[in-house]
Coordinates of all heavy atoms in Angstrom, one line a residue:
M1276 N -76.3 -215.6 1.9 CA -77.3 -215.5 3.0 C -77.7 -214.0 3.2 O -78.9 -213.6 3.3 CB -76.8 -216.0 4.3 CG -77.8 -216.6 5.3 SD -78.9 -215.6 6.3 CE -78.2 -214.1 6.7
R1280 N -81.5 -212.2 2.8 CA -82.1 -211.4 3.8 C -82.5 -210.1 3.4 O -83.6 -209.6 3.6 CB -81.1 -211.3 5.0 CG -81.6 -210.5 6.1 CD -80.7 -210.7 7.4 NE -79.3 -210.5 7.2 CZ -78.8 -209.3 7.1 NH1 -79.5 -208.2 7.3 NH2 -77.5 -209.2 6.9
G1283 N -85.6 -209.9 1.2 CA -86.8 -210.0 2.0 C -87.2 -208.7 2.7 O -88.4 -208.5 3.0
L1284 N -86.3 -207.9 2.9 CA -86.6 -206.6 3.6 C -87.0 -205.5 2.6 O -87.4 -204.4 3.1 CB -85.4 -206.2 4.4 CG -84.8 -207.2 5.5 CD1 -83.6 -206.6 6.2 CD2 -85.9 -207.5 6.5
S1286 N -89.4 -204.8 0.5 CA -90.7 -204.2 0.5 C -90.9 -203.2 1.7 O -91.6 -202.2 1.5 CB -91.8 -205.3 0.5 OG -91.7 -206.0 1.6
M1287 N -90.4 -203.6 2.8 CA -90.6 -202.8 4.0 C -89.8 -201.5 3.9 O -90.2 -200.5 4.4 CB -90.3 -203.5 5.3 CG -91.4 -204.3 5.7 SD -90.9 -205.7 6.7 CE -90.6 -206.9 5.6
F1326 N -86.0 -200.1 9.5 CA -84.9 -201.0 9.9 C -84.0 -201.4 8.8 O -83.0 -202.0 9.0 CB -85.5 -202.3 10.6 CG -86.3 -203.1 9.7 CD1 -85.8 -204.2 9.1 CD2 -87.6 -202.8 9.5 CE1 -86.5 -205.0 8.3 CE2 -88.4 -203.6 8.7 CZ -87.9 -204.6 8.1
K1416 N -84.5 -211.1 27.3 CA -85.4 -210.4 26.4 C -86.0 -209.2 27.0 O -86.4 -208.3 26.3 CB -86.5 -211.3 25.9 CG -86.0 -212.5 25.0 CD -85.5 -211.9 23.7 CE -85.1 -213.1 22.7 NZ -84.5 -212.6 21.5
S1436 N -96.1 -205.9 19.1 CA -96.1 -207.3 18.6 C -94.7 -207.8 18.4 O -93.7 -207.1 18.5 CB -96.9 -207.2 17.3 OG -97.1 -208.6 16.8
C1437 N -94.7 -209.1 18.1 CA -93.4 -209.7 17.8 C -93.6 -211.1 17.3 O -94.6 -211.7 17.5 CB -92.5 -209.8 19.0 SG -93.0 -210.9 20.3
S1438 N -92.5 -211.7 16.6 CA -92.4 -213.1 16.4 C -91.5 -213.6 17.5 O -90.5 -212.9 17.9 CB -91.9 -213.4 15.0 OG -90.7 -212.7 14.8
S1439 N -91.7 -214.7 18.1 CA -91.0 -215.1 19.2 C -90.8 -216.6 19.3 O -91.6 -217.4 18.9 CB -91.7 -214.7 20.5 OG -91.1 -215.2 21.6
T1440 N -89.6 -217.1 19.9 CA -89.5 -218.5 20.2 C -89.9 -218.7 21.6 O -89.7 -219.8 22.2 CB -88.0 -218.9 20.0 OG1 -87.2 -218.0 20.9 CG2 -87.5 -218.8 18.6
L1443 N -89.3 -214.0 24.3 CA -89.7 -212.6 23.8 C -91.2 -212.4 24.0 O -91.6 -211.3 24.4 CB -89.2 -212.4 22.4 CG -89.5 -211.1 21.8 CD1 -88.9 -209.9 22.6 CD2 -89.1 -211.0 20.4
V1460 N -98.9 -211.2 20.1 CA -97.6 -211.8 19.7 C -97.8 -213.1 19.1 O -98.8 -213.8 19.3 CB -96.6 -211.8 20.9 CG1 -96.5 -210.5 21.6 CG2 -97.1 -212.9 21.9
F1461 N -96.8 -213.5 18.3 CA -96.9 -214.7 17.5 C -95.8 -215.7 17.8 O -94.6 -215.3 17.8 CB -96.9 -214.4 16.0 CG -98.0 -213.4 15.6 CD1 -97.8 -212.0 15.6 CD2 -99.3 -213.9 15.3 CE1 -98.8 -211.1 15.3 CE2 -100.3 -213.0 15.0 CZ -100.1 -211.6 15.0
I1462 N -96.2 -216.9 18.0 CA -95.2 -218.0 18.4 C -95.4 -219.2 17.6 O -96.5 -219.5 17.1 CB -95.2 -218.3 19.9 CG1 -96.7 -218.7 20.3 CG2 -94.8 -217.1 20.8 CD1 -96.8 -219.3 21.7
P1463 N -94.4 -220.1 17.5 CA -94.7 -221.4 16.9 C -95.7 -222.2 17.8 O -95.6 -222.0 19.1 CB -93.3 -222.1 16.9 CG -92.3 -221.0 17.0 CD -93.0 -219.9 17.8
H1464 N -96.6 -222.9 17.3 CA -97.7 -223.5 18.1 C -97.2 -224.6 19.0 O -97.9 -225.0 20.0 CB -98.7 -224.1 17.1 CG -98.2 -225.3 16.4 ND1 -98.7 -226.6 16.6 CD2 -97.2 -225.5 15.5 CE1 -98.0 -227.5 15.8 NE2 -97.1 -226.8 15.1
V1482 N -100.8 -215.8 19.8 CA -101.3 -216.6 18.6 C -100.2 -217.6 18.2 O -99.1 -217.2 18.0 CB -101.6 -215.6 17.4 CG1 -102.1 -216.4 16.2 CG2 -102.6 -214.5 17.8
G1483 N -100.6 -218.9 18.2 CA -99.7 -219.9 17.8 C -99.8 -220.1 16.3 O -100.9 -220.1 15.7
I1484 N -98.7 -220.2 15.6 CA -98.6 -220.3 14.2 C -98.2 -221.8 13.9 O -97.2 -222.2 14.5 CB -97.6 -219.3 13.5 CG1 -98.0 -217.9 13.9 CG2 -97.5 -219.6 12.0 CD1 -98.7 -217.1 12.9
E1485 N -98.9 -222.4 12.9 CA -98.5 -223.8 12.6 C -97.3 -223.7 11.7 O -97.4 -223.6 10.5 CB -99.7 -224.5 11.9 CG -100.9 -224.7 12.8 CD -102.1 -225.2 12.1 OE1 -102.0 -225.4 10.9 OE2 -103.1 -225.3 12.8
G1486 N -96.1 -223.8 12.3 CA -94.9 -223.7 11.6 C -93.8 -223.4 12.6 O -94.0 -223.4 13.8
N1487 N -92.5 -223.3 12.1 CA -91.4 -223.0 13.0 C -91.2 -221.5 13.1 O -91.9 -220.7 12.5 CB -90.1 -223.8 12.6 CG -89.6 -223.4 11.2 OD1 -89.9 -222.2 10.8 ND2 -88.9 -224.2 10.5
Y1488 N -90.1 -221.1 13.9 CA -89.9 -219.7 14.1 C -89.8 -218.9 12.8 O -90.3 -217.8 12.6 CB -88.7 -219.5 15.0 CG -88.4 -218.0 15.1 CD1 -89.1 -217.2 16.0 CD2 -87.4 -217.4 14.4 CE1 -88.9 -215.9 16.1 CE2 -87.1 -216.1 14.5 CZ -87.8 -215.3 15.4 OH -87.6 -214.0 15.5
D1489 N -89.1 -219.5 11.8 CA -88.8 -218.8 10.6 C -90.1 -218.6 9.8 O -90.3 -217.6 9.2 CB -87.8 -219.6 9.7 CG -86.5 -219.7 10.4 OD1 -85.9 -218.6 10.7 OD2 -86.1 -220.8 10.8
D1490 N -91.1 -219.5 10.0 CA -92.4 -219.3 9.4 C -93.2 -218.2 10.1 O -93.8 -217.3 9.5 CB -93.3 -220.6 9.5 CG -92.7 -221.8 8.7 OD1 -92.3 -221.5 7.6 OD2 -92.7 -222.9 9.3
V1491 N -93.0 -218.1 11.4 CA -93.7 -217.1 12.2 C -93.1 -215.7 11.8 O -93.9 -214.7 11.6 CB -93.4 -217.3 13.7 CG1 -94.1 -216.2 14.6 CG2 -94.0 -218.7 14.2
N1492 N -91.8 -215.7 11.6 CA -91.1 -214.4 11.2 C -91.6 -214.0 9.9 O -91.9 -212.8 9.7 CB -89.6 -214.7 11.2 CG -88.8 -213.6 11.7 OD1 -89.4 -212.6 12.3 ND2 -87.6 -213.6 11.5
R1493 N -91.8 -214.9 8.9 CA -92.2 -214.6 7.6 C -93.7 -214.0 7.7 O -94.0 -213.0 7.0 CB -92.2 -215.8 6.7 CG -91.0 -215.8 5.8 CD -91.2 -216.9 4.7 NE -91.4 -218.2 5.2 CZ -90.5 -219.0 5.6 NH1 -89.2 -218.7 5.6 NH2 -90.7 -220.2 6.1
F1494 N -94.5 -214.6 8.5 CA -95.9 -214.2 8.7 C -95.9 -212.7 9.2 O -96.6 -211.9 8.7 CB -96.6 -215.1 9.6 CG -98.0 -214.5 10.0 CD1 -99.1 -214.5 9.2 CD2 -98.1 -213.8 11.3 CE1 -100.3 -214.0 9.5 CE2 -99.3 -213.2 11.6 CZ -100.4 -213.3 10.8
C1495 N -95.0 -212.4 10.2 CA -95.0 -211.1 10.7 C -94.5 -210.1 9.6 O -95.0 -208.9 9.6 CB -94.1 -211.0 11.9 SG -94.9 -211.8 13.4
S1496 N -93.6 -210.5 8.8 CA -93.2 -209.6 7.7 C -94.3 -209.2 6.8 O -94.4 -208.1 6.3 CB -92.0 -210.2 6.9 OG -90.9 -210.4 7.8
E1497 N -95.2 -210.2 6.5 CA -96.4 -210.0 5.7 C -97.3 -209.0 6.4 O -97.9 -208.1 5.8 CB -97.1 -211.3 5.4 CG -96.5 -212.0 4.2 CD -97.3 -213.3 3.9 OE1 -98.5 -213.2 3.9 OE2 -96.7 -214.3 3.7
L1498 N -97.5 -209.3 7.7 CA -98.5 -208.5 8.5 C -98.1 -207.0 8.6 O -98.9 -206.1 8.5 CB -98.6 -209.1 9.9 CG -99.6 -208.4 10.9 CD1 -101.0 -208.3 10.3 CD2 -99.7 -209.2 12.2
I1499 N -96.8 -206.8 8.7 CA -96.3 -205.4 8.9 C -96.5 -204.6 7.6 O -96.7 -203.4 7.6 CB -94.9 -205.4 9.3 CG1 -94.5 -204.1 10.0 CG2 -93.9 -205.7 8.2 CD1 -93.2 -204.1 10.6
G1500 N -96.6 -205.3 6.5 CA -96.8 -204.6 5.2 C -98.3 -204.5 4.8 O -98.6 -204.0 3.8
F1509 N -93.6 -203.7 15.9 CA -93.1 -205.1 16.0 C -91.7 -204.9 16.6 O -90.8 -204.3 15.9 CB -93.0 -205.7 14.6 CG -94.3 -206.1 14.1 CD1 -95.2 -205.2 13.5 CD2 -94.8 -207.5 14.2 CE1 -96.4 -205.6 13.0 CE2 -96.0 -207.8 13.7 CZ -96.8 -206.9 13.0
V1510 N -91.5 -205.4 17.8 CA -90.3 -205.0 18.5 C -89.0 -205.5 17.8 O -88.0 -204.8 17.8 CB -90.3 -205.5 20.0 CG1 -91.4 -204.9 20.8 CG2 -90.3 -207.1 20.1
N1511 N -89.2 -206.7 17.1 CA -88.0 -207.2 16.4 C -88.0 -207.1 14.9 O -87.3 -207.7 14.2 CB -87.7 -208.7 16.8 CG -88.9 -209.6 16.6 OD1 -90.0 -209.1 16.4 ND2 -88.7 -210.9 16.8
V1512 N -88.9 -206.2 14.4 CA -89.0 -205.9 13.0 C -88.8 -204.4 12.8 O -87.7 -203.9 12.7 CB -90.2 -206.4 12.3 CG1 -90.1 -206.3 10.8 CG2 -90.5 -207.9 12.7
N1513 N -89.9 -203.6 12.9 CA -89.8 -202.2 12.6 C -89.2 -201.4 13.8 O -88.8 -200.2 13.6 CB -91.1 -201.6 12.1 CG -92.3 -201.7 13.1 OD1 -92.1 -202.4 14.1 ND2 -93.4 -201.1 12.8
R1515 N -86.6 -202.8 15.4 CA -85.4 -203.6 15.7 C -84.2 -202.8 16.0 O -83.4 -203.2 16.9 CB -85.2 -204.6 14.5 CG -84.1 -205.6 14.8 CD -83.9 -206.6 13.7 NE -83.0 -207.6 14.1 CZ -83.2 -208.7 14.8 NH1 -84.5 -208.9 15.3 NH2 -82.3 -209.6 15.1
Y1518 N -84.7 -201.8 19.7 CA -84.8 -203.1 20.5 C -83.4 -203.7 20.6 O -83.0 -204.0 21.8 CB -85.7 -204.0 19.6 CG -85.7 -205.5 19.8 CD1 -86.6 -206.1 20.7 CD2 -84.8 -206.3 19.1 CE1 -86.6 -207.5 20.9 CE2 -84.8 -207.7 19.2 CZ -85.7 -208.3 20.1 OH -85.7 -209.6 20.2
A1546 N -78.9 -217.0 18.6 CA -80.2 -217.3 18.0 C -80.2 -216.6 16.7 O -79.8 -217.1 15.6 CB -81.4 -216.9 18.9
S1547 N -80.6 -215.3 16.7 CA -80.5 -214.5 15.4 C -79.1 -213.9 15.3 O -78.7 -213.5 14.2 CB -81.5 -213.2 15.5 OG -81.0 -212.3 16.4
G1548 N -78.4 -213.9 16.4 CA -77.0 -213.4 16.4 C -76.9 -211.9 16.8 O -75.8 -211.4 17.1
A1609 N -83.6 -221.6 18.4 CA -83.9 -222.4 17.2 C -84.3 -221.5 16.1 O -85.4 -221.5 15.6 CB -84.9 -223.4 17.5
I1610 N -83.3 -220.6 15.6 CA -83.6 -219.8 14.5 C -82.6 -220.3 13.3 O -81.4 -220.2 13.4 CB -83.3 -218.3 14.8 CG1 -84.2 -217.8 15.9 CG2 -83.4 -217.5 13.5 CD1 -84.1 -216.4 16.2
G1611 N -83.3 -220.9 12.4 CA -82.5 -221.6 11.3 C -81.9 -220.7 10.3 O -81.0 -221.0 9.6
N1612 N -82.4 -219.4 10.2 CA -82.0 -218.5 9.3 C -81.6 -217.2 10.0 O -82.3 -216.2 9.9 CB -83.0 -218.2 8.2 CG -82.5 -217.4 7.0 OD1 -81.3 -217.1 6.9 ND2 -83.4 -216.9 6.2
P1613 N -80.5 -217.2 10.7 CA -80.2 -216.1 11.7 C -79.8 -214.8 10.9 O -78.8 -214.8 10.2 CB -79.0 -216.6 12.5 CG -78.4 -217.7 11.7 CD -79.5 -218.2 10.8
A1614 N -80.5 -213.7 11.1 CA -80.3 -212.5 10.4 C -78.9 -211.9 10.6 O -78.3 -211.4 9.6 CB -81.3 -211.4 10.8
D1615 N -78.4 -212.0 11.8 CA -77.0 -211.4 12.0 C -75.9 -212.5 12.0 O -74.8 -212.2 12.4 CB -77.0 -210.7 13.4 CG -77.8 -209.4 13.3 OD1 -77.6 -208.7 12.3 OD2 -78.6 -209.1 14.2

Side-chain angles (χ1 to χ4, degrees):
M1276 206 288 325
R1280 174 165 54 80
L1284 302 181
S1286 61
M1287 276 158 273
F1326 64 98
K1416 292 290 187 186
S1436 186
C1437 67
S1438 51
S1439 170
T1440 55
L1443 179 59
V1460 308
F1461 302 94
I1462 56 173
H1464 68 112
V1482 181
I1484 302 259
E1485 293 172 4
N1487 61 25
Y1488 175 77
D1489 297 296
D1490 296 318
V1491 179
N1492 218 11
R1493 261 192 303 278
F1494 168 78
C1495 284
S1496 295
E1497 276 182 46
L1498 179 56
I1499 199 172
F1509 288 80
V1510 300
N1511 53 351
V1512 189
N1513 58 353
R1515 190 172 185 84
Y1518 160 94
S1547 74
I1610 297 181
N1612 188 10
D1615 286 317

